[in-house]
Amino acid sequence: MKKTIKKSWMIVSALTIGMAVFTPHQAEAKTATTTTKTTNEITVKVEQQIKGTIKSVYGDSITIKGKDGKNYYIGIQEFSDEQLEKMNLKEGQEISVEGSLVQDYSDFYTFDVYKKSLPKEITKEDLAKLEKLFSQTKKLEKEEKYDEVEKISLEMDKITKPYILASWVPASFEEFIEQYEFSEKNIVIKEKDQKQLKDIYQQWIKLEKSGKEENAQEKFDEFQKVLQPYLDVLNPPLTFEEYISDLELDIPAEAMPKLKTLYNDAKKADKDKNDQLSEKLWGEFDEMINPYFKPLSFEDYLSNFDFEIKANDQKELKRLYEEATALDKKGDYEKSNEKWDAIDKILNPYFEANKEILISASKVTINGKVYISKH
């Protein structure tokens, strides 16, 4: 099914070196503006105050329904973790925000935000180098030169890694194993395997600490290989029958054997880490199973949009939606795509009119308390 336009934004991931295999940390972005900008035909002045109700909370960003009826996406990355904890942001709360307009979701991720994740021991000289490299990545991102961005990111990693490794206090083997929650399902690791895993884990830590990344990865792969039988018991793979039973599908009996074969072959390709074959088989499986999915009713489809649609547009959308889903069910995707394009054409002005206005917050007032950003 061709999907209608949806908002999207860039999320920048900052992986803690040496612990990337365990604890990826994500951050979103910000940049301050000092001039008046225009978004969605609405002029938002620097440090303009916005009052409204919190619609949703995403850690270090929130969405607000303003008292002016407009939608706002508020970046609060510039506030400290302690401030964010004290704010205790929740949906439905009344809030007042002062801040400046940014043009893109990726603009929230500034050097000050990036710097928050770095060890305090990093020198001024290295911070200056990182800031210069960071500025280059932002410029290259806007030019969509992502290969160049990756190269510079690796340069930044080389600067930060020694500091991160020096300050890294790895969990004990017992604490690390406990994170898998084997005990909750009464899974007991054999004494022989326990001893081997602990030895491999300690070797992995030494290799990580010495900066031998390739050897460390090989060692962790070895760790996973010993642990895999226990992980299979902890999270047993779904059989084809279990997978199908969870879906509300009307599959004819004659189609089931081929679907089952595709499913099992795709799962085996996953297990063998044959990515190319896996992608091919899952693509065939999805193409074969898609016609059997029951489409949402038009009313349920419409409920996904948080804006009012005019009655005449609703009538036309319903006609197009029912035609598009019927064509999808027949597998006539060329004709159904024309219908989805027509749906997009009707919805585009509504998405545009209800586009979120992006604000980088410098002051937040909530529950009678005022918070000023640290940057």
Side-chain angles (χ1 to χ4, degrees):
M1 182 187 293
K2 182 178 182 294
K3 293 176 181 163
T4 53
I5 294 171
K6 292 184 179 179
K7 64 190 177 186
S8 63
W9 54 86
M10 183 181 297
I11 297 179
V12 184
S13 294
L15 295 183
T16 303
I17 293 175
M19 293 299 286
V21 286
F22 311 128
T23 55
H25 169 70
Q26 290 187 322
E28 296 185 62
K30 163 193 180 210
T31 198
T33 58
T34 55
T35 57
T36 301
K37 299 284 185 181
T38 302
T39 294
N40 194 29
E41 297 182 352
I42 298 168
T43 299
V44 181
K45 294 180 180 179
V46 173
E47 302 306 314
Q48 178 175 333
Q49 187 180 63
I50 298 150
K51 293 183 179 181
T53 305
I54 297 176
K55 289 169 56 182
S56 52
V57 181
Y58 305 105
D60 56 5
S61 58
I62 57 175
T63 58
I64 292 176
K65 188 69 173 180
K67 291 189 180 296
D68 56 6
K70 302 301 176 184
N71 297 311
Y72 294 91
Y73 183 95
I74 311 293
I76 49 178
Q77 294 85 357
E78 298 286 330
F79 293 83
S80 68
D81 292 340
E82 184 182 7
Q83 285 176 309
L84 295 178
E85 187 177 350
K86 286 180 179 178
M87 286 182 199
N88 193 25
L89 301 165
K90 294 177 182 176
E91 293 179 17
Q93 288 178 312
E94 294 294 313
I95 191 170
S96 173
V97 173
E98 290 182 25
S100 53
L101 181 76
V102 298
Q103 293 178 305
D104 188 82
Y105 291 95
S106 64
D107 292 335
F108 288 108
Y109 191 62
T110 63
F111 183 70
D112 280 335
V113 175
Y114 165 76
K115 201 166 59 173
K116 284 169 66 175
S117 64
L118 297 177
K120 294 178 182 178
E121 295 78 11
I122 198 160
T123 65
K124 289 182 179 179
E125 291 77 13
D126 281 338
L127 270 179
K129 290 177 189 175
L130 287 168
E131 186 165 14
K132 184 178 178 181
L133 291 169
F134 185 89
S135 297
Q136 290 178 32
T137 64
K138 299 301 283 185
K139 182 175 181 291
L140 291 166
E141 279 173 5
K142 290 186 183 299
E143 296 170 358
E144 298 185 358
K145 296 179 180 178
Y146 299 116
D147 288 341
E148 294 299 315
V149 170
E150 188 174 351
K151 288 178 185 176
I152 294 176
S153 295
L154 289 173
E155 285 185 53
M156 295 172 72
D157 287 346
K158 286 178 183 176
I159 296 171
T160 59
K161 186 169 182 179
Y163 294 100
I164 291 170
L165 289 177
S167 62
W168 174 39
V169 180
S172 68
F173 170 73
E174 290 73 21
E175 290 170 332
F176 180 70
I177 283 292
E178 194 176 327
Q179 293 176 35
Y180 287 95
E181 299 180 345
F182 288 120
S183 59
E184 291 191 8
K185 291 193 177 180
N186 297 317
I187 299 170
V188 179
I189 299 175
K190 294 176 183 176
E191 187 176 344
K192 181 185 73 170
D193 290 337
Q194 187 99 352
K195 184 179 178 182
Q196 186 180 5
L197 285 166
K198 186 171 185 177
D199 181 55
I200 295 170
Y201 180 74
Q202 290 170 344
Q203 290 178 56
W204 172 78
I205 288 173
K206 287 179 183 177
L207 289 166
E208 280 287 0
K209 280 278 191 184
S210 61
K212 297 177 180 177
E213 292 181 16
E214 289 185 14
N215 293 336
Q217 185 58 55
E218 288 173 5
K219 191 57 62 177
F220 187 72
D221 290 343
E222 186 182 339
F223 183 92
Q224 287 292 100
K225 190 174 181 180
V226 177
L227 197 63
Q228 194 59 51
Y230 300 99
L231 293 174
D232 290 341
V233 176
L234 183 67
N235 300 300
L238 286 176
T239 64
F240 172 72
E241 289 74 18
E242 289 170 331
Y243 175 82
I244 288 296
S245 68
D246 287 340
L247 305 172
E248 294 183 10
L249 302 174
D250 186 17
I251 303 175
E254 60 269 22
M256 293 292 275
K258 186 176 180 181
L259 275 172
K260 183 173 182 177
T261 299
L262 276 172
Y263 179 85
N264 290 333
D265 288 349
K267 295 287 281 187
K268 184 177 184 303
D270 287 342
K271 189 172 183 179
D272 295 342
K273 297 185 178 179
N274 189 336
D275 295 338
Q276 189 173 355
L277 180 60
S278 170
E279 186 176 352
K280 176 180 176 292
L281 292 172
W282 282 120
E284 290 177 16
F285 182 84
D286 288 344
E287 189 174 341
M288 187 174 178
I289 204 171
N290 275 344
Y292 305 119
F293 278 98
K294 295 177 183 177
L296 288 174
S297 68
F298 176 70
E299 289 69 27
D300 286 340
Y301 170 75
L302 212 61
S303 69
N304 288 320
F305 308 120
D306 60 354
F307 46 75
E308 292 293 324
I309 298 175
K310 295 176 183 176
N312 59 329
D313 284 337
Q314 276 199 41
K315 185 177 179 181
E316 180 64 5
L317 283 169
K318 184 173 184 178
R319 181 185 70 80
L320 289 166
Y321 179 80
E322 289 173 350
E323 289 176 2
T325 51
L327 288 165
D328 279 336
K329 194 169 180 64
K330 291 179 184 177
D332 193 346
Y333 299 116
E334 187 175 344
K335 287 185 179 177
S336 74
N337 282 345
E338 293 175 6
K339 304 296 180 182
W340 288 113
D341 286 340
I343 288 172
D344 285 346
K345 193 172 181 179
I346 294 171
L347 287 175
N348 278 341
Y350 290 98
F351 282 118
E352 190 64 28
N354 290 273
K355 189 188 296 181
E356 290 174 335
I357 300 168
L358 312 184
I359 301 292
S360 171
S362 58
K363 180 179 177 181
V364 168
T365 304
I366 189 165
N367 296 326
K369 295 183 179 177
V370 179
Y371 301 89
I372 308 293
S373 74
K374 297 293 185 182
H375 300 289

